[in-house]
Amino acid sequence: MLARRPPARRLPALAACALVAAVAVGGTWAVAKDAVPGGLAPALRDHLTEHRIRLWQDAARIEETDPLRGAGPDRFGELSPAVAQPQGPEAKPHSAPLQQAAGQGLPGVALLGAAFAWMLHALWCSPRPTPVVLTAAATLTALAVESCLGNALSFSQVTAGAGLLAGLATARRLDQTPGTVP
């Protein structure tokens, strides 16, 4: 039995989702490295808060000390000067890619990106209807952007919900026989 090719019309939308996530990661990294051309707009700086920007900058500095291994899991709190400041006892940088970079180095960031790319690939190959696939992709991309700017992935309910959504959007229907793609 021949397997059906994934619909080609999904590819541009899924590529746009990948681009949006990449821009979010790049923008967060640029803010952390203080490399935004022309500086960060005051309104955006106020929205992000100085404390969060300092947390991101600490994560980038920690990553620079050992880019291949990072500092180790859950060591951000003891290595970040911004954590000790009175704005809050956050022991995380409030950014999934920067947290991975500080804890596991660039391989951790690469694995995080690979997991997102694999999920988009699974959605591209999904037997589900295209509107279901693209809705799931847009929702999971929004979660990826939020995880660049905040600590959304620190909550098990959020990661479980994301996994459930990805699973539902990529699963075969029950009326299909195993091993065939509609």
Side-chain angles (χ1 to χ4, degrees):
M1 191 172 276
L2 295 174
R4 192 181 83 176
R5 289 175 32 120
R9 65 184 179 271
R10 292 180 182 177
L11 193 56
L14 294 173
C17 288
L19 180 64
V20 166
V23 166
V25 171
T28 304
W29 213 281
V31 170
K33 297 279 191 172
D34 202 23
V36 176
L40 198 58
L44 185 56
R45 184 172 284 280
D46 290 343
H47 182 70
L48 290 175
T49 73
E50 286 296 326
H51 182 65
R52 181 168 303 191
I53 292 170
R54 282 194 301 274
L55 289 170
W56 289 0
Q57 290 169 340
D58 287 349
R61 275 193 294 278
I62 292 168
E63 177 270 328
E64 286 174 348
T65 60
D66 193 353
L68 292 179
R69 292 185 311 173
D74 296 328
R75 295 222 32 234
F76 179 78
E78 65 190 63
L79 298 173
S80 169
V83 169
Q85 294 175 353
Q87 283 85 353
E90 293 100 353
K92 298 181 189 251
H94 288 270
S95 173
L98 289 170
Q99 183 175 334
Q100 284 297 105
Q104 284 82 33
L106 295 179
V109 176
L111 287 173
L112 186 64
F116 185 73
W118 183 258
M119 185 264 319
L120 289 178
H121 179 266
L123 287 170
W124 180 54
C125 297
S126 174
R128 295 291 186 181
T130 297
V132 170
V133 167
L134 296 184
T135 301
T139 303
L140 293 168
T141 300
L143 177 59
V145 170
E146 173 59 31
S147 74
C148 287
L149 303 172
N151 62 346
L153 295 182
S154 296
F155 302 100
S156 58
Q157 300 91 333
V158 173
T159 55
L164 178 64
L165 178 61
L168 289 173
T170 58
R172 263 191 342 260
R173 293 188 308 268
L174 289 176
D175 60 349
Q176 292 176 321
T177 58
T180 63
V181 176

